[in-house]
């Protein structure tokens, strides 16, 4: 399906994403696996399936 | 009645009818709109207060043809713009945007743009106001809003954190975000050692430059389809999140120490606080603008007296400290924002109608101008009648503190210059402000040469 973007994505930006996604995917995957595994060991099944840790916008600071 | 800023999205637009705000969904955006609710995405975001809630309205109310739905969103009373936000406010808005994109990906959708103007500050937190931000999309497509996110959020945040907080004002000049090549040039070289900034700003700027130098595609080539893995899509988003979270700004400015270094004695401080409180009660209003609010001591007094307060100050550090404090104290009635009253936010954008100027943002019931007029009249050479006229344009009531030449703060302003301010006296003040206003009450502050005035617009 061709990309029909609402705003101008910038062809340079799209190309960069392909590059970065390729580079970042592997360490991200392993970080995820390790994090999920660690949470499972500690019995936090819910944490294991949420997106990776760190503050999200809903937490109260 | 169509909102002058709401014209770029073929999926819909915002309009007013009989003073009520509506959003119209066009046929073009029907599928995305249906999915937004059927996937439960809207429900979850509204429940978590990440998006403004809306009510369904009758399609009959549509302002233009081709409508498939009309909704009535909850109105955010105070509109503020990204160039008026402090570092922490912009950072929270950025993290909200990334969280929204993450949740959209969970259900096969995505944010179609990442404009900072889609976010407003509401009761102490950022919230999405553009209900039509989401579209159906395959997760293997690179995110079209990536560029916009980097220019609206990442670039200004990095510049504020690594260069100077005043860089945030650049968003006023660059209405679609700070161009990455400019941000890359202005950032210190050491930011290249930060993986996130290196990738999303420096490399990104390079990629844009390279693409710009490529010849245009031949007429018969279809649009190029680039693909990334789903994991790659998530990894990219995660990288942006970590980069934003890693940006921190700890300011030190002489203004945030102001509260502890002024010339006030304890008696003077409590006298001033009490008089201000009494005057606010006399006015009996609902909204107040505290101009030159610094870290918000008097904004808090107004909030305690039942007011919703916008606390304007030109010092980014004070505004940021104030914001972080009111968030922590859970005082959602106060919204701190950055503004220089001597050069306030102008109207900008297409036809100079897209983003309203400071004076078009609505009228509060009362403005507080404490420890301010000497900066305007002496520091900025604005004659008192001019100050009075501006205040009268801003609100029907004003609580103004006259800081005479005998006061140490004014003496400091006059220290290195010729005193050309003959009419800068209490009599001069009464004469200047007595024109557009009626002086309801005049109260000297105990143990201080200053006088507080309660003024009512004629």
């Amino acid at each position: 399906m061709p990309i029909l973007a609402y705003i101008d994505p910038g062809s340079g930006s799209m190309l960069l994403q392909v590059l970065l996604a390729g580079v970042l995917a592997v360490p991200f995957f392993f970080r995820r696996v390790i994090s999920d595994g660690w949470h499972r060991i500690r019995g936090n099944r819910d944490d294991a399936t949420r997106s990776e840790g760190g503050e999200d916008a809903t937490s109260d600071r | 009645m169509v909102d002058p800023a709401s014209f770029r999205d073929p999926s819909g637009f915002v309009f007013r009818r009989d003073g009520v705000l509506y959003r119209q969904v066009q046929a073009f955006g029907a599928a995305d709109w249906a999915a937004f609710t059927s996937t439960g995405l809207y429900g979850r975001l509204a429940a978590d207060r990440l998006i403004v809630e809306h009510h369904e309205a009758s399609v009959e109310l549509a302002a233009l043809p081709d409508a498939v739905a009309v909704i009535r969103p909850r109105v955010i009373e105070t509109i503020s713009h990204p160039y008026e936000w402090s570092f922490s406010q912009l950072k929270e808005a950025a993290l909200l945007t990334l969280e929204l994109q993450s949740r959209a990906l969970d259900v096969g959708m995505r944010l179609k743009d990442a404009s900072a103007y889609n976010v407003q500050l509401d009761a102490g937190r950022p919230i999405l106001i553009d209900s039509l931000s989401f579209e159906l999309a395959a997760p293997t497509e690179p995110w079209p809003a990536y560029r916009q996110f980097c220019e609206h959020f990442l670039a200004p945040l990095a510049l504020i954190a690594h260069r100077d907080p005043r860089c945030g004002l650049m968003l006023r000049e660059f209405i679609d975000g700070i161009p990455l090549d400019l941000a890359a040039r202005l950032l210190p070289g050491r930011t290249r050692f930060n993986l996130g900034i290196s990738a999303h700003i420096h490399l990104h700027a390079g990629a844009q430059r390279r693409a710009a130098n490529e010849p245009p595609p031949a007429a018969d080539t279809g649009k190029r389809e680039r693909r990334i893995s789903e994991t790659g899509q998530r990894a990219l988003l995660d990288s942006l999140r970590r980069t934003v979270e890693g940006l921190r700004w700890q300011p030190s400015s002489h203004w945030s120490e102001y509260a502890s270094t002024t010339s006030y004695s304890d008696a003077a401080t409590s006298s001033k606080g009490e008089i201000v409180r009494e005057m606010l009660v006399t006015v009996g209003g609902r909204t107040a603008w505290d101009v030159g609010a610094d870290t918000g001591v008097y904004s808090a007094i107004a909030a305690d007296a039942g007011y919703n307060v916008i606390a304007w100050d030109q010092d980014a550090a004070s505004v940021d400290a104030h914001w972080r404090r009111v968030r922590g104290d859970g005082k959602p009635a106060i919204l701190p924002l950055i503004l220089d009253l001597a050069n306030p936010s102008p109207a900008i954008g297409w036809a100079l109608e897209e983003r309203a100027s400071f004076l078009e943002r609505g009228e509060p019931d009362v403005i507080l101008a404490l420890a301010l007029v000497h900066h305007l009249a002496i520091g900025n050479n604005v004659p008192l009648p001019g100050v009075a006229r501006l205040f009268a344009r801003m609100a029907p009531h004003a609580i103004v503190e006259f800081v005479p030449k005998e006061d140490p703060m004014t003496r400091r302003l006059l220290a290195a210059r010729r005193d050309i301010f003959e009419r800068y006296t209490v009599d001069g003040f009464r004469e200047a402000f007595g024109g557009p206003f009626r002086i309801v009450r005049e109260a000297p502050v105990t143990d201080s040469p200053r006088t507080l005035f309660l003024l009512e617009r004629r």
Side-chain angles (χ1 to χ4, degrees):
Chain A
M1 182 172 58
I3 298 163
L4 300 167
Y6 153 59
I7 55 170
D8 173 17
S11 45
S13 306
M14 295 303 246
L15 190 57
L16 180 70
Q17 282 188 76
V18 176
L19 199 91
L20 287 180
V23 167
L24 296 170
V26 174
F28 173 74
F29 178 76
F30 281 116
R31 261 203 314 272
R32 249 291 191 60
V33 165
I34 292 168
S35 157
D36 281 5
W38 179 241
H39 282 121
R40 270 183 229 279
I41 289 167
R42 292 170 80 205
N44 303 337
R45 287 211 67 92
D46 290 331
D47 290 347
T49 49
R50 257 218 310 254
S51 51
E52 199 170 338
E55 283 179 4
D56 64 49
T58 57
S59 58
D60 283 311
R61 270 196 302 113
Chain B
M1 52 185 160
V2 175
D3 187 284
S6 186
F7 55 85
R8 292 194 174 84
D9 187 356
S11 296
F13 57 89
V14 164
F15 67 96
R16 270 178 209 283
R17 192 191 279 282
D18 299 326
V20 182
L21 188 81
Y22 297 98
R23 189 181 289 274
Q24 173 168 331
V25 184
Q26 296 294 78
F28 186 91
D32 296 326
W33 181 247
F36 185 44
T37 29
S38 68
T39 55
L41 182 59
Y42 165 67
R44 285 187 296 275
L45 294 179
D48 286 341
R49 289 161 61 207
L50 302 187
I51 191 176
V52 283
E53 326 79 68
H54 65 257
H55 295 287
E56 299 280 338
S58 163
V59 185
E60 314 283 311
L61 290 168
L64 293 173
D66 281 340
V68 297
V70 173
I71 61 171
R72 187 167 51 85
R74 176 170 66 85
V75 175
I76 305 291
E77 199 174 319
T78 302
I79 294 296
S80 60
H81 298 317
Y83 40 88
E84 294 161 343
W85 295 346
S86 74
F87 175 80
S88 300
Q89 292 168 325
L90 187 61
K91 179 172 172 175
E92 287 180 41
L95 291 172
L96 169 69
T97 304
L98 295 175
E99 173 68 16
L100 293 167
Q101 170 69 352
S102 174
R103 295 208 191 184
L105 286 175
D106 289 341
V107 296
M109 299 189 78
R110 71 180 172 205
L111 279 174
K112 61 190 186 192
D113 63 354
S115 164
Y117 294 93
N118 286 345
V119 179
Q120 282 296 323
L121 299 173
D122 175 57
R125 49 193 296 167
I127 196 166
L128 181 74
I129 57 167
D130 185 358
S131 318
L132 288 171
S133 283
F134 298 91
E135 64 179 4
L136 288 160
T140 50
E141 275 180 24
W143 189 27
Y146 169 65
R147 173 197 63 77
Q148 196 173 48
F149 181 84
C150 293
E151 293 179 342
H152 276 241
F153 290 108
L154 197 56
L157 285 170
L159 284 167
I160 293 170
H162 290 289
R163 261 293 175 236
D164 191 280
R166 290 165 292 187
C167 292
L169 290 170
M170 288 169 67
L171 288 171
R172 212 157 87 176
E173 195 50 50
F174 296 102
I175 199 173
D176 197 21
I178 299 177
L180 296 175
D181 66 319
L182 181 59
R185 287 182 143 199
L186 296 176
L187 283 167
R190 58 180 158 78
T191 55
R192 285 177 191 272
F193 295 112
N194 176 308
L195 285 178
I197 298 180
S198 204
H200 303 300
I201 297 186
H202 293 291
L203 257 179
H204 200 165
Q208 283 182 337
R209 195 177 49 244
R210 232 163 283 125
N213 290 335
E214 264 176 27
D220 55 351
T221 30
K223 290 203 203 295
R224 234 205 241 117
E225 276 182 47
R226 303 190 196 282
R227 299 169 66 85
I228 58 178
S229 67
E230 263 192 73
T231 309
Q233 178 88 246
R234 293 278 183 182
L236 200 61
L237 195 61
D238 187 65
S239 169
L240 286 171
R241 183 183 57 77
R242 285 145 68 92
T243 309
V244 171
E245 282 186 356
L247 291 170
R248 283 185 197 103
W249 178 58
Q250 256 327 309
S252 96
S253 88
H254 77 284
W255 286 114
S256 7
E257 290 138 32
Y258 179 74
S260 45
T261 58
T262 53
S263 51
Y264 276 135
S265 68
D266 288 338
T269 305
S270 71
S271 159
K272 178 174 169 181
E274 187 49 37
I275 297 171
V276 168
R277 197 192 59 78
E278 286 165 7
M279 289 181 170
L280 285 165
V281 169
T282 305
V283 171
R286 208 180 48 88
T287 54
W289 283 5
D290 184 0
V291 187
D294 190 55
T295 49
V297 172
Y298 298 94
S299 307
I301 292 179
D304 288 339
Y307 283 83
N308 283 322
V309 186
I310 310 184
W312 305 95
D313 199 276
Q314 66 167 309
D315 181 53
S318 308
V319 175
D320 203 56
H322 192 189
W323 166 258
R324 279 180 286 117
R325 208 189 65 242
V326 298
R327 276 185 108 278
D329 290 350
K331 269 198 170 26
I334 302 176
L335 173 60
L337 292 171
I338 299 177
L339 186 107
D340 177 3
L341 190 63
N343 185 19
S345 307
I348 62 168
W350 186 259
L352 295 178
E353 285 178 340
E354 255 187 279
R355 307 296 163 200
S357 83
F358 169 69
L359 291 175
E360 294 164 317
R361 226 69 74 73
E363 219 182 50
D365 294 316
V366 60
I367 54 173
L368 287 175
L370 308 173
L372 181 69
V373 291
H374 56 307
H375 288 294
L376 299 173
I378 308 237
N380 225 280
N381 288 47
V382 181
L384 285 176
V387 177
R389 268 194 306 275
L390 175 64
F391 286 6
R393 274 175 74 184
M394 284 165 61
H397 292 94
I399 297 171
V400 185
E401 180 182 25
F402 180 66
V403 187
K405 290 180 191 172
E406 307 82 69
D407 188 278
M409 291 297 159
T410 313
R411 270 192 276 126
R412 183 192 284 176
L413 289 178
L414 286 167
R417 43 194 307 204
R418 219 175 101 200
D419 186 349
I420 54 170
F421 309 98
E422 267 180 29
R423 290 307 292 154
Y424 189 79
T425 60
V426 164
D427 284 324
F429 183 94
R430 289 193 200 104
E431 192 186 314
F433 279 76
F437 290 99
R438 187 176 66 85
I439 299 176
V440 174
R441 180 181 166 195
E442 183 178 326
V445 177
T446 310
D447 209 30
S448 151
R450 303 183 179 200
T451 311
L452 283 162
F453 288 84
L454 173 57
L455 305 159
E456 184 177 36
R457 186 166 63 194
R458 292 188 196 273

